[in-house]
Amino acid sequence: SAVISQKPSRDICQRGTSLTIQCQVDSQVTMMFWYRQQPGQSLTLIATANQGSEATYESGFVIDKFPISRPNLTFSTLTVSNMSPEDSSIYLCSVVFQLYSYEQYFGPGTRLTVT
Amino acid sequence: AQKVTQAQTEISVVEKEDVTLDCVYETRDTTYYLFWYKQPPSGELVFLIRRNSFDEQNEISGRYSWNFQKSTSSFNFTITASQVVDSAVYFCALSEPGTASKLTFGTGTRLQVTL
């Protein structure tokens, strides 16, 4: 089975700084997504990472705050910009391998703490 | 708008007991997909099952079984003879058809299995 990895696995950052999270899959995928899981909460979709074009953001999330790149079929990055303590969350990437399988598989997550 | 309700916030059982996790959903779509994910203390989301709205057959996989009832908009998950390793947060999720995007998650049920 395919391996989905995320870097870093965790980080502690100062407010006002930015952090870029990487998601790497060892096989090609059709779709990639980024989710946020705030402490003790459920998962919320941030955006769909589109290969070679701008990401599609969900309501409440904007490109200036969460710029996303997806240069190829196996890699994506999410940047959390100008961080505040409210950004402290687990950030997870997910992928769909076969378009009409509708099954999303998740990476291990990046645990971010903003002080 | 879609909605997934997991009314049970936390359940505690003793090992070998059977336990059922409830999931009720709301959607205006006639075609949709339902999922269960497991999030152990390590934080990674593990895909358990996908069910499409046209298939109301119950499914069994080892100690796990799922009961999908379209008439009551429910997709309940039963663990038979629970084990300590089953301790985790379990999320029910609903997706829109077409692009397989926009997984709407429930708030999760934390299952604690003790000896």
Side-chain angles (χ1 to χ4, degrees), chain A residues 37-41, chain B residues 6-13 19 21 36 39-42 79 86-91 107-113:
Chain A
Q37 186 178 24
Q38 293 177 301
Q41 303 295 314
Chain B
Q6 294 180 256
Q8 304 151 308
T9 306
E10 193 160 343
I11 301 175
S12 290
V13 299
V19 58
L21 310 181
W36 277 95
Q39 189 174 41
S42 60
I79 301 174
D86 295 327
S87 298
V89 180
Y90 291 86
F91 290 98
T107 50
T109 297
R110 182 178 299 278
L111 174 64
Q112 186 71 41
V113 183

PDB file of all heavy atoms in Angstrom, chain A residues 37-41, chain B residues 6-13 19 21 36 39-42 79 86-91 107-113:
ATOM      1  N   GLN A  37      -7.434  20.141  12.034  1.00  0.00           N
ATOM      2  CA  GLN A  37      -8.116  19.574  13.187  1.00  0.00           C
ATOM      3  C   GLN A  37      -7.683  20.357  14.419  1.00  0.00           C
ATOM      4  O   GLN A  37      -6.571  20.167  14.926  1.00  0.00           O
ATOM      5  CB  GLN A  37      -7.812  18.083  13.356  1.00  0.00           C
ATOM      6  CG  GLN A  37      -8.615  17.433  14.466  1.00  0.00           C
ATOM      7  CD  GLN A  37      -8.348  15.939  14.594  1.00  0.00           C
ATOM      8  OE1 GLN A  37      -7.295  15.444  14.195  1.00  0.00           O
ATOM      9  NE2 GLN A  37      -9.302  15.215  15.171  1.00  0.00           N
ATOM     10  N   GLN A  38      -8.541  21.254  14.877  1.00  0.00           N
ATOM     11  CA  GLN A  38      -8.226  22.035  16.061  1.00  0.00           C
ATOM     12  C   GLN A  38      -8.322  21.133  17.291  1.00  0.00           C
ATOM     13  O   GLN A  38      -9.007  20.102  17.252  1.00  0.00           O
ATOM     14  CB  GLN A  38      -9.156  23.242  16.140  1.00  0.00           C
ATOM     15  CG  GLN A  38      -8.876  24.221  14.990  1.00  0.00           C
ATOM     16  CD  GLN A  38      -9.816  25.396  14.962  1.00  0.00           C
ATOM     17  OE1 GLN A  38     -11.027  25.230  14.862  1.00  0.00           O
ATOM     18  NE2 GLN A  38      -9.257  26.586  15.024  1.00  0.00           N
ATOM     19  N   PRO A  39      -7.647  21.514  18.375  1.00  0.00           N
ATOM     20  CA  PRO A  39      -7.564  20.639  19.560  1.00  0.00           C
ATOM     21  C   PRO A  39      -8.918  20.111  20.011  1.00  0.00           C
ATOM     22  O   PRO A  39      -9.845  20.884  20.270  1.00  0.00           O
ATOM     23  CB  PRO A  39      -6.919  21.551  20.601  1.00  0.00           C
ATOM     24  CG  PRO A  39      -6.112  22.522  19.815  1.00  0.00           C
ATOM     25  CD  PRO A  39      -6.888  22.766  18.554  1.00  0.00           C
ATOM     26  N   GLY A  40      -9.029  18.803  20.077  1.00  0.00           N
ATOM     27  CA  GLY A  40     -10.251  18.170  20.550  1.00  0.00           C
ATOM     28  C   GLY A  40     -11.437  18.286  19.612  1.00  0.00           C
ATOM     29  O   GLY A  40     -12.562  17.964  20.005  1.00  0.00           O
ATOM     30  N   GLN A  41     -11.189  18.732  18.404  1.00  0.00           N
ATOM     31  CA  GLN A  41     -12.287  18.968  17.467  1.00  0.00           C
ATOM     32  C   GLN A  41     -12.244  17.980  16.305  1.00  0.00           C
ATOM     33  O   GLN A  41     -11.348  17.141  16.198  1.00  0.00           O
ATOM     34  CB  GLN A  41     -12.193  20.404  16.913  1.00  0.00           C
ATOM     35  CG  GLN A  41     -12.198  21.479  17.967  1.00  0.00           C
ATOM     36  CD  GLN A  41     -13.494  21.526  18.730  1.00  0.00           C
ATOM     37  OE1 GLN A  41     -14.569  21.487  18.144  1.00  0.00           O
ATOM     38  NE2 GLN A  41     -13.407  21.606  20.055  1.00  0.00           N
TER      39      GLN A  41
ATOM     40  N   GLN B   6     -22.676  12.717  15.436  1.00  0.00           N
ATOM     41  CA  GLN B   6     -22.280  11.606  16.287  1.00  0.00           C
ATOM     42  C   GLN B   6     -22.594  12.033  17.717  1.00  0.00           C
ATOM     43  O   GLN B   6     -21.846  12.755  18.341  1.00  0.00           O
ATOM     44  CB  GLN B   6     -20.794  11.307  16.114  1.00  0.00           C
ATOM     45  CG  GLN B   6     -20.448  10.799  14.719  1.00  0.00           C
ATOM     46  CD  GLN B   6     -18.969  10.515  14.571  1.00  0.00           C
ATOM     47  OE1 GLN B   6     -18.240  11.289  13.962  1.00  0.00           O
ATOM     48  NE2 GLN B   6     -18.530   9.397  15.124  1.00  0.00           N
ATOM     49  N   ALA B   7     -23.737  11.599  18.186  1.00  0.00           N
ATOM     50  CA  ALA B   7     -24.245  12.108  19.461  1.00  0.00           C
ATOM     51  C   ALA B   7     -23.428  11.623  20.652  1.00  0.00           C
ATOM     52  O   ALA B   7     -23.389  12.276  21.691  1.00  0.00           O
ATOM     53  CB  ALA B   7     -25.708  11.721  19.627  1.00  0.00           C
ATOM     54  N   GLN B   8     -22.778  10.495  20.506  1.00  0.00           N
ATOM     55  CA  GLN B   8     -21.993   9.935  21.613  1.00  0.00           C
ATOM     56  C   GLN B   8     -20.618  10.576  21.613  1.00  0.00           C
ATOM     57  O   GLN B   8     -19.812  10.348  20.728  1.00  0.00           O
ATOM     58  CB  GLN B   8     -21.862   8.420  21.462  1.00  0.00           C
ATOM     59  CG  GLN B   8     -23.173   7.681  21.360  1.00  0.00           C
ATOM     60  CD  GLN B   8     -23.000   6.396  20.542  1.00  0.00           C
ATOM     61  OE1 GLN B   8     -22.489   6.440  19.436  1.00  0.00           O
ATOM     62  NE2 GLN B   8     -23.438   5.280  21.084  1.00  0.00           N
ATOM     63  N   THR B   9     -20.343  11.371  22.630  1.00  0.00           N
ATOM     64  CA  THR B   9     -19.044  12.031  22.703  1.00  0.00           C
ATOM     65  C   THR B   9     -17.975  11.047  23.155  1.00  0.00           C
ATOM     66  O   THR B   9     -16.865  11.020  22.609  1.00  0.00           O
ATOM     67  CB  THR B   9     -19.108  13.207  23.680  1.00  0.00           C
ATOM     68  OG1 THR B   9     -20.178  14.066  23.298  1.00  0.00           O
ATOM     69  CG2 THR B   9     -17.802  13.974  23.695  1.00  0.00           C
ATOM     70  N   GLU B  10     -18.320  10.250  24.161  1.00  0.00           N
ATOM     71  CA  GLU B  10     -17.350   9.332  24.722  1.00  0.00           C
ATOM     72  C   GLU B  10     -18.060   8.078  25.220  1.00  0.00           C
ATOM     73  O   GLU B  10     -19.144   8.158  25.803  1.00  0.00           O
ATOM     74  CB  GLU B  10     -16.608  10.010  25.879  1.00  0.00           C
ATOM     75  CG  GLU B  10     -15.378   9.294  26.336  1.00  0.00           C
ATOM     76  CD  GLU B  10     -14.435  10.197  27.107  1.00  0.00           C
ATOM     77  OE1 GLU B  10     -14.572  11.430  27.022  1.00  0.00           O
ATOM     78  OE2 GLU B  10     -13.556   9.652  27.792  1.00  0.00           O
ATOM     79  N   ILE B  11     -17.460   6.936  24.956  1.00  0.00           N
ATOM     80  CA  ILE B  11     -18.005   5.658  25.415  1.00  0.00           C
ATOM     81  C   ILE B  11     -16.885   4.879  26.088  1.00  0.00           C
ATOM     82  O   ILE B  11     -15.773   4.800  25.561  1.00  0.00           O
ATOM     83  CB  ILE B  11     -18.561   4.815  24.245  1.00  0.00           C
ATOM     84  CG1 ILE B  11     -19.659   5.561  23.499  1.00  0.00           C
ATOM     85  CG2 ILE B  11     -19.082   3.479  24.762  1.00  0.00           C
ATOM     86  CD1 ILE B  11     -20.148   4.815  22.261  1.00  0.00           C
ATOM     87  N   SER B  12     -17.197   4.305  27.233  1.00  0.00           N
ATOM     88  CA  SER B  12     -16.238   3.434  27.925  1.00  0.00           C
ATOM     89  C   SER B  12     -16.830   2.044  28.052  1.00  0.00           C
ATOM     90  O   SER B  12     -17.969   1.895  28.489  1.00  0.00           O
ATOM     91  CB  SER B  12     -15.919   3.987  29.317  1.00  0.00           C
ATOM     92  OG  SER B  12     -15.173   5.162  29.220  1.00  0.00           O
ATOM     93  N   VAL B  13     -16.052   1.054  27.673  1.00  0.00           N
ATOM     94  CA  VAL B  13     -16.499  -0.338  27.803  1.00  0.00           C
ATOM     95  C   VAL B  13     -15.348  -1.160  28.365  1.00  0.00           C
ATOM     96  O   VAL B  13     -14.185  -0.760  28.305  1.00  0.00           O
ATOM     97  CB  VAL B  13     -16.958  -0.935  26.458  1.00  0.00           C
ATOM     98  CG1 VAL B  13     -18.136  -0.154  25.900  1.00  0.00           C
ATOM     99  CG2 VAL B  13     -15.821  -0.985  25.452  1.00  0.00           C
ATOM    100  N   VAL B  19     -19.826  -2.954  21.323  1.00  0.00           N
ATOM    101  CA  VAL B  19     -20.143  -1.526  21.414  1.00  0.00           C
ATOM    102  C   VAL B  19     -20.582  -1.034  20.036  1.00  0.00           C
ATOM    103  O   VAL B  19     -20.036  -1.436  19.013  1.00  0.00           O
ATOM    104  CB  VAL B  19     -18.939  -0.712  21.935  1.00  0.00           C
ATOM    105  CG1 VAL B  19     -17.705  -0.899  21.047  1.00  0.00           C
ATOM    106  CG2 VAL B  19     -19.272   0.755  22.077  1.00  0.00           C
ATOM    107  N   LEU B  21     -21.325   2.432  17.763  1.00  0.00           N
ATOM    108  CA  LEU B  21     -21.124   3.874  17.607  1.00  0.00           C
ATOM    109  C   LEU B  21     -22.146   4.388  16.596  1.00  0.00           C
ATOM    110  O   LEU B  21     -22.245   3.851  15.485  1.00  0.00           O
ATOM    111  CB  LEU B  21     -19.700   4.164  17.113  1.00  0.00           C
ATOM    112  CG  LEU B  21     -18.569   3.495  17.897  1.00  0.00           C
ATOM    113  CD1 LEU B  21     -17.221   3.885  17.305  1.00  0.00           C
ATOM    114  CD2 LEU B  21     -18.643   3.823  19.365  1.00  0.00           C
ATOM    115  N   TRP B  36     -16.241   5.625   7.647  1.00  0.00           N
ATOM    116  CA  TRP B  36     -15.782   5.603   9.029  1.00  0.00           C
ATOM    117  C   TRP B  36     -14.257   5.623   9.026  1.00  0.00           C
ATOM    118  O   TRP B  36     -13.625   4.919   8.245  1.00  0.00           O
ATOM    119  CB  TRP B  36     -16.277   4.364   9.774  1.00  0.00           C
ATOM    120  CG  TRP B  36     -17.671   4.507  10.307  1.00  0.00           C
ATOM    121  CD1 TRP B  36     -18.829   4.112   9.717  1.00  0.00           C
ATOM    122  CD2 TRP B  36     -18.044   5.089  11.560  1.00  0.00           C
ATOM    123  NE1 TRP B  36     -19.905   4.411  10.520  1.00  0.00           N
ATOM    124  CE2 TRP B  36     -19.448   5.003  11.659  1.00  0.00           C
ATOM    125  CE3 TRP B  36     -17.324   5.659  12.624  1.00  0.00           C
ATOM    126  CZ2 TRP B  36     -20.155   5.470  12.769  1.00  0.00           C
ATOM    127  CZ3 TRP B  36     -18.028   6.119  13.717  1.00  0.00           C
ATOM    128  CH2 TRP B  36     -19.426   6.030  13.792  1.00  0.00           C
ATOM    129  N   GLN B  39      -9.086   7.185  14.571  1.00  0.00           N
ATOM    130  CA  GLN B  39      -7.929   8.005  14.917  1.00  0.00           C
ATOM    131  C   GLN B  39      -7.386   7.541  16.266  1.00  0.00           C
ATOM    132  O   GLN B  39      -7.869   7.948  17.322  1.00  0.00           O
ATOM    133  CB  GLN B  39      -8.288   9.495  14.957  1.00  0.00           C
ATOM    134  CG  GLN B  39      -7.064  10.396  15.099  1.00  0.00           C
ATOM    135  CD  GLN B  39      -7.407  11.877  14.991  1.00  0.00           C
ATOM    136  OE1 GLN B  39      -8.413  12.324  15.522  1.00  0.00           O
ATOM    137  NE2 GLN B  39      -6.565  12.636  14.298  1.00  0.00           N
ATOM    138  N   PRO B  40      -6.391   6.680  16.247  1.00  0.00           N
ATOM    139  CA  PRO B  40      -5.793   6.218  17.514  1.00  0.00           C
ATOM    140  C   PRO B  40      -5.002   7.359  18.145  1.00  0.00           C
ATOM    141  O   PRO B  40      -4.839   8.423  17.535  1.00  0.00           O
ATOM    142  CB  PRO B  40      -4.889   5.068  17.064  1.00  0.00           C
ATOM    143  CG  PRO B  40      -4.597   5.343  15.629  1.00  0.00           C
ATOM    144  CD  PRO B  40      -5.772   6.078  15.075  1.00  0.00           C
ATOM    145  N   PRO B  41      -4.514   7.136  19.371  1.00  0.00           N
ATOM    146  CA  PRO B  41      -3.765   8.206  20.058  1.00  0.00           C
ATOM    147  C   PRO B  41      -2.585   8.749  19.255  1.00  0.00           C
ATOM    148  O   PRO B  41      -2.183   9.886  19.459  1.00  0.00           O
ATOM    149  CB  PRO B  41      -3.313   7.511  21.347  1.00  0.00           C
ATOM    150  CG  PRO B  41      -4.355   6.477  21.605  1.00  0.00           C
ATOM    151  CD  PRO B  41      -4.765   5.977  20.242  1.00  0.00           C
ATOM    152  N   SER B  42      -2.046   7.972  18.354  1.00  0.00           N
ATOM    153  CA  SER B  42      -0.931   8.446  17.526  1.00  0.00           C
ATOM    154  C   SER B  42      -1.353   9.587  16.603  1.00  0.00           C
ATOM    155  O   SER B  42      -0.509  10.338  16.109  1.00  0.00           O
ATOM    156  CB  SER B  42      -0.363   7.299  16.693  1.00  0.00           C
ATOM    157  OG  SER B  42      -1.368   6.779  15.839  1.00  0.00           O
ATOM    158  N   ILE B  79     -18.491  -2.746  17.081  1.00  0.00           N
ATOM    159  CA  ILE B  79     -17.290  -3.529  17.334  1.00  0.00           C
ATOM    160  C   ILE B  79     -17.696  -4.663  18.274  1.00  0.00           C
ATOM    161  O   ILE B  79     -18.228  -4.419  19.370  1.00  0.00           O
ATOM    162  CB  ILE B  79     -16.178  -2.685  17.982  1.00  0.00           C
ATOM    163  CG1 ILE B  79     -15.809  -1.502  17.072  1.00  0.00           C
ATOM    164  CG2 ILE B  79     -14.952  -3.543  18.260  1.00  0.00           C
ATOM    165  CD1 ILE B  79     -14.815  -0.532  17.699  1.00  0.00           C
ATOM    166  N   ASP B  86      -8.706  -1.165  20.359  1.00  0.00           N
ATOM    167  CA  ASP B  86      -9.786  -0.439  19.691  1.00  0.00           C
ATOM    168  C   ASP B  86      -9.967   0.967  20.263  1.00  0.00           C
ATOM    169  O   ASP B  86     -10.729   1.773  19.726  1.00  0.00           O
ATOM    170  CB  ASP B  86     -11.117  -1.193  19.837  1.00  0.00           C
ATOM    171  CG  ASP B  86     -11.099  -2.544  19.131  1.00  0.00           C
ATOM    172  OD1 ASP B  86     -10.434  -2.658  18.080  1.00  0.00           O
ATOM    173  OD2 ASP B  86     -11.742  -3.477  19.651  1.00  0.00           O
ATOM    174  N   SER B  87      -9.286   1.265  21.333  1.00  0.00           N
ATOM    175  CA  SER B  87      -9.400   2.599  21.948  1.00  0.00           C
ATOM    176  C   SER B  87      -8.907   3.652  20.970  1.00  0.00           C
ATOM    177  O   SER B  87      -7.753   3.615  20.521  1.00  0.00           O
ATOM    178  CB  SER B  87      -8.582   2.664  23.250  1.00  0.00           C
ATOM    179  OG  SER B  87      -9.071   1.753  24.202  1.00  0.00           O
ATOM    180  N   ALA B  88      -9.780   4.577  20.649  1.00  0.00           N
ATOM    181  CA  ALA B  88      -9.477   5.593  19.632  1.00  0.00           C
ATOM    182  C   ALA B  88     -10.663   6.529  19.537  1.00  0.00           C
ATOM    183  O   ALA B  88     -11.691   6.318  20.173  1.00  0.00           O
ATOM    184  CB  ALA B  88      -9.228   4.942  18.272  1.00  0.00           C
ATOM    185  N   VAL B  89     -10.489   7.560  18.718  1.00  0.00           N
ATOM    186  CA  VAL B  89     -11.629   8.397  18.334  1.00  0.00           C
ATOM    187  C   VAL B  89     -12.083   7.918  16.959  1.00  0.00           C
ATOM    188  O   VAL B  89     -11.265   7.736  16.059  1.00  0.00           O
ATOM    189  CB  VAL B  89     -11.257   9.887  18.283  1.00  0.00           C
ATOM    190  CG1 VAL B  89     -12.472  10.723  17.870  1.00  0.00           C
ATOM    191  CG2 VAL B  89     -10.727  10.354  19.638  1.00  0.00           C
ATOM    192  N   TYR B  90     -13.370   7.702  16.824  1.00  0.00           N
ATOM    193  CA  TYR B  90     -13.932   7.224  15.569  1.00  0.00           C
ATOM    194  C   TYR B  90     -14.778   8.327  14.939  1.00  0.00           C
ATOM    195  O   TYR B  90     -15.642   8.912  15.587  1.00  0.00           O
ATOM    196  CB  TYR B  90     -14.777   5.972  15.806  1.00  0.00           C
ATOM    197  CG  TYR B  90     -13.939   4.777  16.196  1.00  0.00           C
ATOM    198  CD1 TYR B  90     -13.598   4.553  17.528  1.00  0.00           C
ATOM    199  CD2 TYR B  90     -13.473   3.882  15.233  1.00  0.00           C
ATOM    200  CE1 TYR B  90     -12.810   3.469  17.892  1.00  0.00           C
ATOM    201  CE2 TYR B  90     -12.693   2.797  15.587  1.00  0.00           C
ATOM    202  CZ  TYR B  90     -12.367   2.604  16.912  1.00  0.00           C
ATOM    203  OH  TYR B  90     -11.581   1.525  17.270  1.00  0.00           O
ATOM    204  N   PHE B  91     -14.489   8.593  13.674  1.00  0.00           N
ATOM    205  CA  PHE B  91     -15.204   9.637  12.945  1.00  0.00           C
ATOM    206  C   PHE B  91     -16.046   9.021  11.839  1.00  0.00           C
ATOM    207  O   PHE B  91     -15.579   8.158  11.086  1.00  0.00           O
ATOM    208  CB  PHE B  91     -14.218  10.617  12.302  1.00  0.00           C
ATOM    209  CG  PHE B  91     -13.499  11.488  13.279  1.00  0.00           C
ATOM    210  CD1 PHE B  91     -12.221  11.174  13.709  1.00  0.00           C
ATOM    211  CD2 PHE B  91     -14.096  12.646  13.770  1.00  0.00           C
ATOM    212  CE1 PHE B  91     -11.548  11.984  14.608  1.00  0.00           C
ATOM    213  CE2 PHE B  91     -13.429  13.469  14.671  1.00  0.00           C
ATOM    214  CZ  PHE B  91     -12.158  13.131  15.094  1.00  0.00           C
ATOM    215  N   THR B 107     -18.364  14.924  14.731  1.00  0.00           N
ATOM    216  CA  THR B 107     -17.496  15.420  15.801  1.00  0.00           C
ATOM    217  C   THR B 107     -16.695  14.313  16.475  1.00  0.00           C
ATOM    218  O   THR B 107     -15.838  14.586  17.297  1.00  0.00           O
ATOM    219  CB  THR B 107     -18.314  16.162  16.865  1.00  0.00           C
ATOM    220  OG1 THR B 107     -19.406  15.326  17.244  1.00  0.00           O
ATOM    221  CG2 THR B 107     -18.850  17.479  16.319  1.00  0.00           C
ATOM    222  N   GLY B 108     -16.976  13.075  16.105  1.00  0.00           N
ATOM    223  CA  GLY B 108     -16.190  11.964  16.620  1.00  0.00           C
ATOM    224  C   GLY B 108     -16.734  11.395  17.917  1.00  0.00           C
ATOM    225  O   GLY B 108     -17.375  12.088  18.707  1.00  0.00           O
ATOM    226  N   THR B 109     -16.468  10.112  18.113  1.00  0.00           N
ATOM    227  CA  THR B 109     -16.805   9.421  19.362  1.00  0.00           C
ATOM    228  C   THR B 109     -15.524   8.810  19.909  1.00  0.00           C
ATOM    229  O   THR B 109     -14.854   8.034  19.216  1.00  0.00           O
ATOM    230  CB  THR B 109     -17.834   8.306  19.137  1.00  0.00           C
ATOM    231  OG1 THR B 109     -19.055   8.870  18.673  1.00  0.00           O
ATOM    232  CG2 THR B 109     -18.084   7.543  20.438  1.00  0.00           C
ATOM    233  N   ARG B 110     -15.193   9.194  21.119  1.00  0.00           N
ATOM    234  CA  ARG B 110     -13.993   8.635  21.754  1.00  0.00           C
ATOM    235  C   ARG B 110     -14.374   7.334  22.457  1.00  0.00           C
ATOM    236  O   ARG B 110     -15.241   7.324  23.332  1.00  0.00           O
ATOM    237  CB  ARG B 110     -13.403   9.611  22.769  1.00  0.00           C
ATOM    238  CG  ARG B 110     -12.123   9.107  23.440  1.00  0.00           C
ATOM    239  CD  ARG B 110     -11.552  10.131  24.403  1.00  0.00           C
ATOM    240  NE  ARG B 110     -11.194  11.363  23.719  1.00  0.00           N
ATOM    241  CZ  ARG B 110     -10.051  11.551  23.056  1.00  0.00           C
ATOM    242  NH1 ARG B 110      -9.139  10.589  23.027  1.00  0.00           N
ATOM    243  NH2 ARG B 110      -9.804  12.695  22.471  1.00  0.00           N
ATOM    244  N   LEU B 111     -13.754   6.245  22.038  1.00  0.00           N
ATOM    245  CA  LEU B 111     -14.005   4.934  22.633  1.00  0.00           C
ATOM    246  C   LEU B 111     -12.824   4.551  23.517  1.00  0.00           C
ATOM    247  O   LEU B 111     -11.685   4.543  23.077  1.00  0.00           O
ATOM    248  CB  LEU B 111     -14.192   3.876  21.538  1.00  0.00           C
ATOM    249  CG  LEU B 111     -14.320   2.426  22.027  1.00  0.00           C
ATOM    250  CD1 LEU B 111     -15.581   2.257  22.863  1.00  0.00           C
ATOM    251  CD2 LEU B 111     -14.317   1.464  20.852  1.00  0.00           C
ATOM    252  N   GLN B 112     -13.130   4.244  24.755  1.00  0.00           N
ATOM    253  CA  GLN B 112     -12.111   3.796  25.699  1.00  0.00           C
ATOM    254  C   GLN B 112     -12.436   2.366  26.089  1.00  0.00           C
ATOM    255  O   GLN B 112     -13.512   2.097  26.632  1.00  0.00           O
ATOM    256  CB  GLN B 112     -12.108   4.702  26.935  1.00  0.00           C
ATOM    257  CG  GLN B 112     -10.988   4.402  27.914  1.00  0.00           C
ATOM    258  CD  GLN B 112      -9.633   4.813  27.379  1.00  0.00           C
ATOM    259  OE1 GLN B 112      -9.481   5.872  26.771  1.00  0.00           O
ATOM    260  NE2 GLN B 112      -8.637   3.983  27.572  1.00  0.00           N
ATOM    261  N   VAL B 113     -11.537   1.459  25.793  1.00  0.00           N
ATOM    262  CA  VAL B 113     -11.716   0.056  26.151  1.00  0.00           C
ATOM    263  C   VAL B 113     -10.716  -0.279  27.249  1.00  0.00           C
ATOM    264  O   VAL B 113      -9.502  -0.106  27.068  1.00  0.00           O
ATOM    265  CB  VAL B 113     -11.501  -0.880  24.946  1.00  0.00           C
ATOM    266  CG1 VAL B 113     -11.763  -2.329  25.354  1.00  0.00           C
ATOM    267  CG2 VAL B 113     -12.402  -0.481  23.783  1.00  0.00           C
TER     268      VAL B 113
END
